[in-house]
Amino acid sequence: MQLSRSSSELRSGLAAATVALLGAAPAPARATEATSSALLYTEPNRVTAFETRADFTRQLSRERVLRYSFTLDALTGASPNGALRAGVPQTFTGPSGTASYRVAPGQTPLDDSFHDTRYAGSLSVDLPVGRLTTSTLGLNLSTERDYFSAGVSARLARDLFRRNTTIAIGVSGSADLVRPFGGTPDPFGLVSATVSEPEDVTSTGASGGFGRDEGEGGEGVPQGSEGKQVADALFGITQVLNRSTILQLNYSVSRATGYLTDPYKLITVAAAPGTVNAGDPLDYRYESRPDTRFKQSLYAESKHSFGRDVLDVSYRRMWDDWGIRSHTFEGRYRLEVGEHTALEPQLRWYTQTAADFYRHSLIDGEPLPSFASADTRLGAFDAWTGALKYSRRLYSGHELGVRVGYYVQSGDSSPPDAFGSQVSQDLFPRVTAVVTQVSYSFAF
Amino acid sequence: MSAPRSRPRALGRIALLALLLCPAPVLSGCATLGVEAWDRDQLARPEMKLGANATEDAIDDHIYFSKEASSGGRGFGGGGCGCN
Amino acid sequence: MASPCEILIEDRDSRRASALLETVSREAWRIEAKFSRYREDSVVQRINRSGGEPLELDPETARLLDFAARCHELSGGAFDVTSGVLRRAWRFDGSDRVPDAARVEELLPLIGWHRVGWTSPRLVLPAGMEIDLGGVGKEYAVDRALELARAGTREPVLVNFGGDLAVSGARRDGRPWRVGIESLKHAENADRELELSSGALATSGDANRFLLRNGVRYSHVLDPRTGWPVPDAPRSVTVLAGNCTEAGLLATLALLQGAGAEEFLREQGVSSWCLR
């Protein structure tokens, strides 16, 4: 005996008849899932960031999912201004143009005038396109006093081979606006700062912010604005390997154009080798970066379950046309202890090469290069992160998570091209940070 | 006995053999990619989903974006803040 | 529903759980009372005794008949709620009492949904014909019960009416429910337990109902178009699908495919287990 209809027609007809009988397709009982999270990021004696975040996932129907999030991010404390440590006291004028700060010999020059609050929100929706294809459309907004960003993204994912394989393609674009405090500095503009003689302890900073485009705003008000555009594309494949292993591979490209310079970062102009005070800072200039950057990355992640426990490993290779190459390895092991509790050690290792235009200082008397930055984030360094997460499932599907992590970043403190008094200074001070995060998930 | 069971069972043995032969668990998939719907019990667990912890990922991406020269990879490039 | 029914609610608040249990059981009993062909006061009995007179049916019954009509159409007549009349000739008691062809032949004019006048909500069932919603009633009850349970609690729930079952989602600790399949107990090479974190499971067929004559095994699966058992039908078929009603229908249609049951299920792309 054969059925009169083709099998796909039968299945879809039956599904439609079932829906008519039972009413709408049964919606999941938990309509909205929320995760709220608070994070404290502290670098000893430096910056402290407090971030609160709420993520919501609302199941509109079986295949339509709405996600939205809100972030509030408050930053206080001091950040390195890019200038090198020196054997002499250094005085800088803050970006507002009036306040000045002194840095003792052998100390990292830190600018503590950064107090900013960031508000960000995101919205995305999953919409089915046929039975096996899902589209995701997203929108991001972020604003702080000196920065604004708006972005859109679109992604298509298709399931293949009995849903064992998913291929995805996505594009995103963002338009950002940088409004530096004190105006946008000229590339390599001289900074109003003086280098004090050791006995001249009462020296004050020079007045005015020459080297910056003066806007008409008052103190601490962002002036002028620069644009930045980022376009990303991503190709991904996710494959179920076996009953307990899943693998994801992504290739992505990203092109940024516009103002890519950090308006607050300085670069020391050091007295030339052979002079009396070789290596000492004579002056400071604002940094200058290219106005395009093209990045590519390969990313692989695999999750494997060992009974109740789950191992999550990932690797990322990133390279760009600034000459930066990086490797990131990350591993997490979720260990179930007891019926409702899990412990998850997390370990991450990161290494990057320096940008072609990265240099710890400029040399007085030499012609200026096209681009230069002393921002150590563009230098060569390694970083380790170790963290431990504790999570506990509570009543009614509520879940509490606590994570404590330690981050350490170290580069070459005594680079071979250091000269004169630079040789006795730590030219790549270690960055350490403690990250504490508490999160709580629930459904309503 | 019944036909639908016999195929996945044979594949299961191949997978086990592959697991013994391949050095890394990732490679065990080389012999048999994918599973049938009824073998998704492990994969169906929330912690086995990729991106299961979106909030934590977003927080980490934000921190590393502000401290390092690389971003993105897992998803779109991150950013959208003046922190780098 | 002459079979044990259970509802598992994973909740620490026993008062809330028992209140919900009562709501859900009441719904199950309501559906049984309404659609059982053994109960004098059921809608099915009222229909079967209508003697050819038109009847106005309530919306729920109308939806079930719409569903039955659609399944009849989709299956090319293999699924037919009027086929219960064949029970007058066939008794699958393990004996060798195979009815004679003439007896089966005279019942055939009383079988066939195409003979029924159905324009929702008006039904005209020709005199002598009968309908039996047993083929969908239990699965429908499981889905209805789960829907009610979901409306009443966010905690994980499993509804099991005599082996046809549905779950609301994974258990509270995120793990799937472990379900033993009774009908596969004696099947070799089949897991007796499977893990379920969404969807529903339904079984059609009864391994113990058959006739045996001259070495030929007559299965209890009757083809409404011929009145005779479907040759080489599996003893039972278990299907995993999004909801219990769909799972049950697919299992029944698979049985009616006889020797082609496994292939049919494969074409439908559902997880299934056949016992032969």
Side-chain angles (χ1 to χ4, degrees), chain C residues 15 17 64 71 74 161-163 175 192 205 241 243 252 267 272 274:
Chain C
R15 249 194 347 202
L64 270 167
C71 292
L74 284 166
F161 293 166
R175 322 234 159 272
R192 287 178 219 165
N243 57 57
T252 303
E267 279 173 9
S272 57
C274 291

Side-chain angles (χ1 to χ4, degrees), chain A residues 248-252 293 295-301 313-319 324-330 348-352 381 407, chain B residues 60-62 64-65 67-78:
Chain A
Q248 181 181 29
L249 297 171
N250 286 344
Y251 167 70
S252 47
R293 183 181 182 193
K295 289 195 302 181
Q296 298 178 75
S297 70
L298 280 172
Y299 175 80
E301 179 177 358
V313 289
S314 68
Y315 167 71
R316 178 184 60 186
R317 173 74 171 149
M318 195 285 303
W319 63 100
I324 299 170
R325 311 257 178 281
S326 75
H327 298 278
T328 312
F329 294 91
E330 190 160 7
R348 177 183 186 269
W349 185 68
Y350 174 82
T351 184
Q352 74 176 42
F381 65 82
Y407 177 76
Chain B
D60 286 357
D61 287 349
H62 183 54
Y64 295 128
F65 177 75
K67 291 282 135 194
E68 298 169 350
S70 310
S71 64
R74 175 168 38 217
F76 290 120

Side-chain angles (χ1 to χ4, degrees), chain A residues 21-46:
Chain A
L21 173 65
L22 298 172
R30 292 162 193 230
T32 303
E33 283 179 25
T35 301
S36 57
S37 205
L39 169 96
L40 189 67
Y41 172 94
T42 314
E43 292 178 19
N45 304 319
R46 293 199 194 170

Side-chain angles (χ1 to χ4, degrees), chain C:
Chain C
M1 264 170 273
S3 43
C5 300
E6 63 177 339
I7 297 150
L8 303 175
I9 304 167
E10 208 178 357
D11 196 338
R12 279 183 203 159
D13 186 338
S14 62
R15 249 194 347 202
R16 199 166 61 186
S18 32
L20 187 68
L21 186 64
E22 197 175 323
T23 314
V24 175
S25 343
R26 216 178 285 135
E27 174 70 359
W29 289 322
R30 182 191 70 79
I31 293 172
E32 186 196 4
K34 188 169 176 180
F35 299 109
S36 168
R37 90 191 137 86
Y38 303 107
R39 291 177 68 131
E40 292 298 306
D41 53 348
S42 77
V43 177
V44 170
Q45 277 289 7
R46 194 156 66 89
I47 293 169
N48 290 345
R49 290 189 188 156
S50 62
E53 292 298 312
L55 277 178
E56 292 276 321
L57 297 175
D58 65 283
E60 186 182 34
T61 310
R63 276 205 310 276
L64 270 167
L65 288 181
D66 276 340
F67 180 72
R70 184 78 180 115
C71 292
H72 179 258
E73 184 194 345
L74 284 166
S75 65
F79 177 86
D80 198 321
V81 289
T82 64
S83 63
V85 172
L86 287 167
R87 265 189 297 264
R88 294 178 196 163
W90 294 92
R91 273 180 218 290
F92 297 97
D93 50 8
S95 71
D96 63 350
R97 290 191 291 267
V98 174
D100 41 274
R103 173 81 182 112
V104 174
E105 192 66 31
E106 71 186 40
L107 288 175
L108 285 183
L110 298 176
I111 299 163
W113 181 255
H114 58 281
R115 301 177 211 275
V116 177
W118 171 239
T119 317
S120 179
R122 230 170 111 90
L123 177 79
V124 185
L125 185 73
M129 287 182 71
E130 285 178 14
I131 66 161
D132 179 0
L133 294 175
V136 287
K138 192 166 67 161
E139 291 86 346
Y140 170 70
V142 168
D143 287 330
R144 281 286 308 152
L146 185 70
E147 200 179 311
L148 265 185
R150 272 181 160 152
T153 182
R154 290 170 176 173
E155 302 301 337
V157 176
L158 180 148
V159 176
N160 175 14
F161 293 166
D164 291 342
L165 56 92
V167 301
S168 66
R171 298 189 55 175
R172 264 182 34 185
D173 59 5
R175 322 234 159 272
W177 298 86
R178 299 184 67 84
V179 177
I181 306 180
E182 179 76 14
S183 58
L184 297 182
K185 215 167 171 176
H186 306 292
E188 289 167 40
N189 296 325
D191 294 331
R192 287 178 219 165
E193 269 195 353
L194 76 152
E195 292 177 322
L196 198 62
S197 47
S198 68
L201 203 61
T203 301
S204 270
D206 186 334
N208 303 315
R209 293 177 61 208
F210 59 93
L211 291 177
L212 199 63
R213 181 145 121 188
N214 302 332
V216 178
R217 195 172 177 285
Y218 294 81
S219 87
H220 71 292
V221 184
L222 295 170
D223 187 334
R225 295 166 295 196
T226 63
W228 283 81
V230 175
D232 303 317
R235 287 195 232 177
S236 79
V237 175
T238 300
V239 171
L240 178 59
N243 57 57
C244 205
T245 308
E246 196 180 355
L249 240 298
L250 285 169
T252 303
L253 293 181
L255 278 183
L256 288 163
Q257 297 295 306
E262 284 87 351
E263 196 190 337
F264 167 80
L265 289 163
R266 227 183 346 261
E267 279 173 9
Q268 302 306 318
V270 290
S271 305
S272 57
W273 299 263
C274 291
L275 176 65
R276 285 191 173 274

Side-chain angles (χ1 to χ4, degrees), chain A residues 43 305 308 326 332 389, chain B residues 42 45 53 56 67 69-70:
Chain A
E43 292 178 19
S305 96
R308 302 180 66 200
S326 75
R332 299 173 174 211
K389 182 175 152 191
Chain B
Q42 291 292 325
R45 293 163 55 195
N53 212 331
E56 199 171 297
K67 291 282 135 194
S70 310

Side-chain angles (χ1 to χ4, degrees), chain A residues 7-8 17 22 32 48 90 107 138 169-170 195 205 224 248 252 295 308 367 396 399 414 416:
Chain A
S7 58
S8 66
L22 298 172
T32 303
T48 293
Q90 305 182 77
Q107 297 292 307
I169 176 168
V195 184
Q248 181 181 29
S252 47
K295 289 195 302 181
R308 302 180 66 200
S396 267
E399 186 165 334
S414 309

Side-chain angles (χ1 to χ4, degrees), chain A residues 347-406:
Chain A
L347 197 62
R348 177 183 186 269
W349 185 68
Y350 174 82
T351 184
Q352 74 176 42
T353 62
D356 299 332
F357 54 86
Y358 171 80
R359 45 201 304 166
H360 50 75
S361 58
L362 296 169
I363 299 171
D364 184 43
E366 287 189 1
L368 287 173
S370 313
F371 306 107
S373 172
D375 186 344
T376 54
R377 294 176 299 182
L378 299 180
F381 65 82
D382 299 344
W384 280 98
T385 311
L388 184 66
K389 182 175 152 191
Y390 165 88
S391 56
R392 187 169 171 82
R393 287 181 283 265
L394 305 168
Y395 184 61
S396 267
H398 291 211
E399 186 165 334
L400 173 74
V402 178
R403 184 167 66 139
V404 179
Y406 184 72

